[in-house]
Amino acid sequence: MAQINICLKRIFTVFNIFFIVVGAVAIVLALWCQFFMDNRGGHNLEGRATQLFFLYMVGCITMMIAVLGAYGAHKESKVALIMFLVFMVFGSLLMLIIGIPAAIIYPQLKGIAEETFSGFVPLDKSEDVSNMAEAIQEKFHCCGLFSYKDWENIPDSCVCSQEEEKEGKCQTVENNTFMLQRKSVYTKTCFPTIMDYIQFISKISLAVSFTLAVLALLGMILSSIMIHQLYYPNRASIMVSVMPPKYKELHNYPAY
């Protein structure tokens, strides 16, 4: 005999289906971000791998927990539902621990990024930084993080083509190393483009974190009710005893 209310079971099933969809969306977003950034030449941006790995893990774990919850409700398994409840508690706490500090830091993100990237200047003091900067410059047609002066020796990746010069995208500057050598380099700097990607990934991470936190809270409520029904299947019948005496007397009054 079923011990869980059928309507509650259906609501919980719909909830877990939606939970599975959210997990799948997180995985698709991670795949899309990886493809988009690789296609745009952002494969060298620092922190991308960690954030994408976070999205992949969140998506996979979310889907597995949702399957566990659906199984527990369908089979009316106390163990599965209790495991699901524990996961929801830890999941909601984890998402809030990640999401709240990230939301607080987000308005300061640009300042933090500026301070961090300023430490890379001059860009040609390190081979790794130089290679990363040149790859970004070639892809996005920009020069330097904040200015062409970020380079001690301006590389060819900063140099404009004749068509771009005609379009007004360039400026003529003197090479910092050879003062007599003049180059036509991109007026656009690279930091705004990099910042766009950082903010884009941060917004996705925030949206995923708080969405999962809300879903985890809802999952906690639903699973707690079902566990209660499994442990106290006849609880509803006890409610009759709390009726006022007069109504109870009428309720039990013998029919003639």
Side-chain angles (χ1 to χ4, degrees), residues 28-93:
V28 171
L29 278 174
L31 290 170
W32 182 78
C33 289
Q34 183 174 2
F35 171 79
F36 180 75
M37 295 181 70
D38 287 345
N39 190 47
R40 293 280 183 168
H43 52 281
N44 287 319
L45 293 180
E46 294 187 352
R48 180 196 68 94
T50 302
Q51 291 172 325
L52 291 182
F53 178 74
F54 168 75
L55 282 178
Y56 281 126
M57 289 300 296
V58 166
C60 293
I61 293 173
T62 298
M63 293 180 71
M64 289 189 292
I65 294 175
V67 171
L68 175 67
Y71 170 82
H74 179 69
K75 296 293 184 178
E76 298 192 356
S77 169
K78 296 178 183 177
V79 175
L81 288 174
I82 290 173
M83 289 178 62
F84 179 85
L85 176 60
V86 171
F87 281 129
M88 289 295 98
V89 172
F90 280 106
S92 61
L93 291 175

Side-chain angles (χ1 to χ4, degrees), residues 223-240:
S223 57
S224 297
I225 295 173
M226 287 192 294
I227 292 170
H228 182 271
Q229 288 185 355
L230 287 174
Y231 276 101
Y232 304 99
N234 299 319
R235 194 72 173 181
S237 61
I238 301 175
M239 297 299 293
V240 177

Side-chain angles (χ1 to χ4, degrees), residues 3-237:
Q3 294 177 306
I4 299 178
N5 182 278
I6 187 65
C7 292
L8 180 61
K9 187 183 289 189
R10 288 174 180 173
I11 293 172
F12 192 68
T13 300
V14 172
F15 166 80
N16 280 287
I17 292 173
F18 182 69
F19 215 33
I20 291 173
V21 171
V22 171
V25 168
I27 295 174
V28 171
L29 278 174
L31 290 170
W32 182 78
C33 289
Q34 183 174 2
F35 171 79
F36 180 75
M37 295 181 70
D38 287 345
N39 190 47
R40 293 280 183 168
H43 52 281
N44 287 319
L45 293 180
E46 294 187 352
R48 180 196 68 94
T50 302
Q51 291 172 325
L52 291 182
F53 178 74
F54 168 75
L55 282 178
Y56 281 126
M57 289 300 296
V58 166
C60 293
I61 293 173
T62 298
M63 293 180 71
M64 289 189 292
I65 294 175
V67 171
L68 175 67
Y71 170 82
H74 179 69
K75 296 293 184 178
E76 298 192 356
S77 169
K78 296 178 183 177
V79 175
L81 288 174
I82 290 173
M83 289 178 62
F84 179 85
L85 176 60
V86 171
F87 281 129
M88 289 295 98
V89 172
F90 280 106
S92 61
L93 291 175
L94 178 62
M95 291 300 103
L96 290 175
I97 289 171
I98 294 173
I100 292 175
I104 294 172
I105 292 174
Y106 184 79
Q108 309 167 16
L109 197 59
K110 186 175 181 180
I112 295 172
E114 284 181 353
E115 184 178 352
T116 301
F117 283 103
S118 294
F120 297 149
V121 178
L123 297 174
D124 39 11
K125 71 179 180 180
S126 168
E127 185 177 353
D128 291 338
V129 173
S130 177
N131 292 336
M132 179 186 71
E134 289 206 54
I136 295 173
Q137 288 177 166
E138 288 177 0
K139 192 66 181 179
F140 296 106
H141 295 185
C142 54
C143 184
L145 289 172
F146 309 101
S147 167
Y148 70 89
K149 295 181 181 179
D150 292 341
W151 295 96
E152 291 181 347
N153 186 24
I154 300 174
D156 292 338
S157 58
C158 279
V159 178
C160 294
S161 65
Q162 292 182 352
E163 293 181 358
E164 288 170 322
E165 287 182 12
K166 293 178 181 178
E167 294 174 358
K169 298 180 179 180
C170 311
Q171 58 182 335
T172 302
V173 300
E174 292 181 344
N175 196 323
N176 294 345
T177 302
F178 305 100
M179 298 301 292
L180 298 177
Q181 183 181 359
R182 301 176 67 84
K183 289 185 175 182
S184 179
V185 300
Y186 297 112
T187 304
K188 177 184 174 183
T189 57
C190 299
F191 179 75
T193 302
I194 296 173
M195 196 64 224
D196 287 343
Y197 282 113
I198 294 174
Q199 290 178 328
F200 175 68
I201 296 296
S202 297
K203 287 177 181 178
I204 290 177
S205 299
L206 283 172
V208 171
S209 297
F210 284 107
T211 299
L212 290 177
V214 172
L215 289 175
L217 180 60
L218 180 59
M220 287 168 55
I221 296 172
L222 293 175
S223 57
S224 297
I225 295 173
M226 287 192 294
I227 292 170
H228 182 271
Q229 288 185 355
L230 287 174
Y231 276 101
Y232 304 99
N234 299 319
R235 194 72 173 181
S237 61

